[in-house]
Amino acid sequence: MTITYRAAEIPAAELAEKPLGQPSAEPLTGEITTRAKVFFDIEQITAGTWECEPGASRWEFTTRGEIIYVLSGSMTVQRDGEEGVLLTAGTSAVFELGWQGVWTVHETLRKVFVVYRP
C-alpha cells in the first residue's frame, strides 16, 4: 500500500489539536496551539502534517531529528549561537540530532514532517 495525503488541503478541524509542550518543545510566549495528523509511524520514523499558531518556542532535538517542508505560513529558526533563518512556503529544513534553538512562528505555519530516531 502507498500512503498518500494532500497535507495543505486538510481542514484544520480534521487535525488533532493540543497545546505545544514537552517533550516536543517549551513555549516561550504563553500557550501555543498546535494541530497535527500522523500518517505513518513505525519504531524509528514518524511522518505527517503539523500546524502551529504564532509564538516562540525552544526546541532541543536530543533524542530525535526532524526534516520538514513548509506548506504555508512562516517562521524564523535560530540555532543556538547562529543567525536566524526565515522559513516560508516551499522551504525545506533539517534539524539534525543535537539541534537546539528557538522557533518563532510569525503566521500560522503548516508543514509536512518526518521525525527520525537513531
Side-chain angles (χ1 to χ4, degrees), residues 30-103:
E31 187 171 296
I32 300 171
T33 300
T34 66
R35 295 169 198 85
K37 186 165 186 171
V38 172
F39 291 94
F40 181 78
D41 190 15
I42 61 169
E43 198 170 303
Q44 294 176 294
I45 299 171
T46 302
T49 190
W50 183 82
E51 187 173 274
C52 183
E53 293 184 355
S57 53
R58 176 147 186 87
W59 293 75
E60 296 185 0
F61 290 91
T62 56
T63 61
R64 65 189 180 101
E66 184 173 354
I67 301 164
I68 70 168
Y69 178 78
V70 178
L71 297 167
S72 61
S74 67
M75 74 173 168
T76 299
V77 296
Q78 184 171 7
R79 187 175 190 161
D80 292 346
E82 297 181 3
E83 293 291 319
V85 176
L86 180 65
L87 305 181
T88 58
T91 305
S92 296
V94 176
F95 301 94
E96 72 272 6
L97 193 62
W99 193 99
Q100 296 182 27
V102 174
W103 291 10

